[in-house]
Amino acid sequence: RGASVALVMADTHRVGAAEQLGAFARFLAVPMRAVSDGAELVTALADFGERDVVYVDTAGLTGDASGAADLARLFATAGGVVTTAAVVSASASEAALRAAWRQLGGLAPATCVVTKVDEGGGLGTACGWLADVRVPLDWLGTGTRVPDDLTAADGGALAAWLTAA
């Protein structure tokens, strides 16, 4: 919404990840670069240095703790210029969120995005978890139309989605 944005794809595991993010980049008319290691990430961040925001998409974390360690090493190469955001589903159970935090916590997320708000289940569990781990909620993913279905998590939006459940 007016910011100069670039995208970096650092998900080297999911089949089609770069193609999917590339489609979003073309739709949004923003540059995108795929990277496979820390050196390429540093170069991409430098090349996009004039941009207001550079979003780095990474592979999701699974039950394997090595994924979080790999991300921590990747971000460490950037020299502290990367701010981590936790992205979690509104439909995740409390147990799933707590399990995710065992990996996410080490990455020290400064903010959170809750996706799939439109798929039911409500925001209560996610908001309770965020209060416990003390990570602020910045964005809500309220549908599949990007960027139209990304909503800033202000009081009005939260109230609407919390009472809709």
Side-chain angles (χ1 to χ4, degrees):
R1 312 258 183 214
S4 172
V5 174
L7 303 174
V8 174
M9 168 50 64
D11 182 350
T12 59
H13 300 292
R14 189 169 53 89
V15 174
E19 291 81 5
Q20 184 180 32
L21 192 64
F24 279 120
R26 287 187 300 279
F27 175 75
L28 298 170
V30 300
M32 186 208 104
R33 171 120 16 109
V35 301
S36 60
D37 60 32
E40 290 180 0
L41 175 61
V42 169
T43 300
L45 293 174
D47 289 348
F48 293 142
E50 297 294 320
R51 298 286 169 159
D52 296 325
V53 180
V54 178
Y55 291 102
V56 180
D57 187 22
T58 65
L61 298 176
T62 62
D64 179 7
S66 68
D70 290 345
L71 284 179
R73 281 190 296 278
L74 177 70
F75 294 153
T77 63
V81 299
V82 174
T83 301
T84 305
V87 180
V88 298
S89 172
S91 61
S93 69
E94 185 175 342
L97 291 169
R98 294 198 187 288
W101 187 249
R102 286 192 283 277
Q103 291 187 43
L104 290 169
L107 297 171
T111 186
C112 185
V113 179
V114 176
T115 64
K116 301 182 181 182
V117 174
D118 58 314
E119 293 183 11
L123 277 172
T125 301
C127 286
W129 170 75
L130 287 167
D132 288 347
V133 298
R134 300 177 194 260
V135 174
L137 175 59
D138 275 351
W139 293 95
L140 301 171
T142 61
T144 59
R145 296 169 300 159
V146 175
D148 297 332
D149 290 339
L150 291 174
T151 303
D154 60 22
L158 281 173
W161 284 101
L162 284 167
T163 58

